[in-house]
Amino acid sequence: MPDALDSTPYDALLLLSFGGPEGPDDVVPFLENVTRGRGIPKERLKEVGQHYFLFGGVSPINGQNRALLDALRKDFADHGLDLPVYWGNRNWAPYLTDTLRDMVRDGRRRILVLATSAYASYSGCRQYRENLADALAALEAEGLDLPQVDKLRHYFNHPGFLQPMIDGVIESLAELPEEVRDGAHLAFTTHSIPVSAADTSGPVEQHGDGGAYVRQHLDVAELVADAVRERTGVDHPWQLVYQSRSGAPHIPWLEPDICDHLEERHAAGVPAVVMAPIGFVSDHMEVLYDLDTEAAAKAGELGLPVRRSATVGADPRFAAAIRELVLERAATERGRQVTPCALGALGASHNVCPVGCCPARAPRPAAAGADSPYA
């Protein structure tokens, strides 16, 4: 096998995602999985589930993951990379533990994991690693031989992740009425998280306020805005804003919220806004509801023209980026000198999360890192 297409020592790739309901009867059980241990009453979960019921009780995330699986398998086959791809979720079928069990029974011994979260944070990285540790512990209790599990590095600044977002913003600008297009502002959105979680994301000593989570998003926003200016000849002002806050009111979360931002931009006389959800891999429920429904309704109240650009989803360039990341990591594990592919000021992320990276509120075992009990 040519070295460029050699995935050794890995014998499988696992797509690890959040999961979502696939019908009205799934909504409350799914939310019970997501909120397990928090003591949230079922009636409150039914209220939260209204977002899903607006869309027939179906989250688009599972369909989008199936599309990404198809794109990955096609890209791998087209390029001669013989690496099987599996799929497991944290909170809904196919469940992670079940998928890992299938992989072990299929003889997979060295597994590389792609999480559907591009940035550093507790909920976007370490929590996935905790779920991996839980799944491995369950298999160990069943007496199964455990595989070695590694996680792909953060890919927020890989060209294959950035290029589809740049195209999406340019296409959204083109959809705006011509008289407001050049004056449009860009609102780069991502999931709000508690300020304390942001401040401790990534290796803490390397980042300021907001930690790696905020810094990585700012780097992506700047890269996209710069590319849009180069391709359109127009310098659109931009800001990083947040959405989907779900925490208690007394706990500080990252701000401003997208709806507050739209009000402020309208009051300042901005003629139009393009909302670019750079913090999300696909157009799942938080994009469809918080942007396409809630933020769009706010813009309608204001009379502010808005467009929402597409997420990366199953874009072939993203699938190709994953192939490149797999081969990059495999070559590194074989002891080869590799130049990681990354744009912007931050460079490539670490391959192995260091001890203390994105700490949990209460310490829990996490796999696929320097502190893994399953090294």
Side-chain angles (χ1 to χ4, degrees), residues 138-225:
L139 299 189
E140 187 175 41
E142 295 172 13
L144 296 176
D145 291 333
L146 299 187
Q148 181 170 334
V149 177
D150 297 329
K151 181 178 174 291
L152 282 174
R153 66 176 173 88
H154 303 302
Y155 46 84
F156 63 93
N157 56 3
H158 193 287
F161 187 66
L162 291 165
Q163 289 162 357
M165 291 192 288
I166 294 165
D167 287 349
V169 171
I170 291 172
E171 291 165 7
S172 294
L173 285 166
E175 293 171 1
L176 286 168
E178 187 174 359
E179 63 271 19
V180 299
R181 187 178 305 149
D182 286 355
H185 284 212
L186 309 180
F188 293 106
T189 76
T190 190
H191 205 301
S192 183
I193 63 175
V195 171
S196 59
D199 286 344
T200 57
S201 61
V204 177
E205 65 278 3
Q206 296 180 15
H207 307 285
D209 291 345
Y213 186 75
V214 171
R215 191 173 179 191
Q216 289 170 359
H217 280 87
L218 287 172
D219 202 43
V220 168
E222 186 171 11
L223 286 164
V224 174

Side-chain angles (χ1 to χ4, degrees), residues 18 30-42 44-45 48 90-91 122-123 127 130-131 191 194 244-248 251 253 286 361 364:
F18 192 81
F30 162 73
L31 292 173
E32 287 175 334
N33 287 343
V34 174
T35 61
R36 181 170 286 115
R38 302 182 199 172
I40 299 176
K42 183 170 288 190
R44 173 57 181 154
L45 295 180
V48 174
R90 290 168 48 186
N91 298 298
Y122 170 74
S123 58
Q127 193 169 16
E130 291 176 352
N131 296 142
H191 205 301
S244 312
R245 173 180 174 144
S246 58
I251 298 175
W253 282 50
E286 287 170 318
R361 287 164 290 188
R364 289 181 56 196

Side-chain angles (χ1 to χ4, degrees), residues 20-31 57 92:
E22 301 208 68
D25 293 341
D26 296 342
V27 172
V28 172
F30 162 73
L31 292 173
W92 201 248

